[in-house]
Amino acid sequence: FARLLEQVVAYTEYLRTLGSKLSHELATPLAVVRSSLENLEQEPLPESARVYAERARSGAERLSTLLRNLAQASRMERAIASAEAEDFDLRAVITGAVAGYRDMAEGREMRCQVPEHSVPFHGAPELIHQALDKLVDNALSFTPEGGWIKVSLEMRAQGGVDVAVANQGPPLPQKMQGRLFDSLITVREGRSASGMHLGLGLYVVRLIAELHGGQASASDLPAGDGVEFRLSLI
């Protein structure tokens, strides 16, 4: 059992550092490929060959973006794991965050539903705020002009709290069910049309929820007119 535990620990550490290792080891050969393609594009090429060179350059750019996101994910994991917990009023954090989001709403109604009394909580307030930032940014991506976004704080009878961000808009894509909170997953086809987007936002939300002993979930609203992302924290 001791040897098995050592192997599990070693494998877990390997997986934890895989992203940063890959981004570091592949950076130099990728730079060589990109510079070679840039030099090739300066040469007189037939139109048929230039098409393939352009595709190769586009693929290299996508790979470069992927490696940057892998490195960013590793940095975020370390930063979240090292955050220090403290006692604070979760209600004040929620209401303060929503006040700032109203300036970003751009024609959308920003609603806030919280208890009338303070909600003492032990955790990392800056991380809770960061999770809200990610969820509201995600909601803004899908809420139509004139639609609504609601941030709510609910206390569970059995203990713990739920922080939820709901928005009016399309339902969750069936093909993404169960994968929304994975690293480098995105469903922002429309928004990313002008550029590549590899999602880390919901992955960060999941990490923050797990750090607080809880979990993150997403579901369609019962009326079918939007979605809700929920952080169940302990």
Side-chain angles (χ1 to χ4, degrees):
F1 281 111
R3 287 197 300 269
L4 178 61
L5 181 59
E6 289 176 358
Q7 292 175 357
V8 170
V9 170
Y11 185 61
T12 301
E13 178 65 16
Y14 165 76
L15 292 178
R16 188 182 66 81
T17 60
L18 181 60
S20 59
K21 289 177 179 176
L22 281 175
S23 60
H24 176 74
E25 295 297 331
L26 295 179
T28 299
L30 179 59
V32 173
V33 171
R34 294 177 62 183
S35 62
S36 299
L37 288 172
E38 291 173 357
N39 292 332
L40 181 62
E41 289 177 342
Q42 303 303 317
E43 299 294 327
L45 296 174
E47 189 61 30
S48 58
R50 189 168 296 279
V51 171
Y52 291 112
E54 176 62 26
R55 290 177 182 174
R57 187 189 64 78
S58 177
E61 291 293 338
R62 288 175 61 85
L63 181 57
S64 179
T65 301
L66 175 60
L67 293 179
R68 286 197 301 270
N69 278 274
L70 282 172
Q72 183 182 3
S74 297
R75 290 193 299 270
M76 287 181 175
E77 289 172 354
R78 291 193 296 270
I80 290 173
S82 62
E84 296 185 1
E86 60 183 86
D87 294 322
F88 65 97
D89 182 3
L90 184 55
R91 180 186 183 277
V93 171
I94 301 297
T95 55
V98 173
Y101 299 146
R102 288 196 170 96
D103 295 333
M104 305 162 47
E106 297 179 349
R108 302 168 182 86
E109 180 187 358
M110 185 66 64
R111 305 174 182 175
C112 184
Q113 180 178 331
V114 297
E116 295 182 358
H117 53 80
S118 63
V119 180
F121 191 77
H122 185 73
E126 70 280 359
L127 292 184
I128 300 295
H129 200 303
Q130 184 178 1
L132 276 176
D133 289 346
K134 303 296 185 184
L135 292 177
V136 171
D137 178 67
N138 184 75
L140 288 170
S141 300
F142 295 100
T143 306
E145 183 77 18
W148 54 264
I149 298 171
K150 183 175 77 171
V151 180
S152 60
L153 172 61
E154 305 167 9
M155 301 183 67
R156 297 195 302 272
Q158 66 274 26
V161 297
D162 284 352
V163 178
V165 176
N167 67 275
Q168 190 176 22
L172 296 171
Q174 290 298 318
K175 66 178 182 179
M176 302 301 294
Q177 295 288 348
R179 300 179 58 208
L180 286 171
F181 295 94
D182 291 346
S183 179
L184 305 182
I185 293 294
T186 183
V187 293
R188 302 187 187 187
E189 291 92 345
R191 183 173 177 178
S192 60
S194 60
M196 184 181 181
H197 177 87
L198 291 172
L200 286 176
L202 295 182
Y203 175 62
V204 170
V205 169
R206 191 192 85 189
L207 292 179
I208 293 173
E210 292 174 350
L211 179 71
H212 289 86
Q215 62 181 5
S217 60
S219 61
D220 294 327
L221 294 177
D225 60 344
V227 300
E228 180 185 74
F229 288 83
R230 183 173 291 263
L231 293 180
S232 297
L233 308 177
I234 298 175

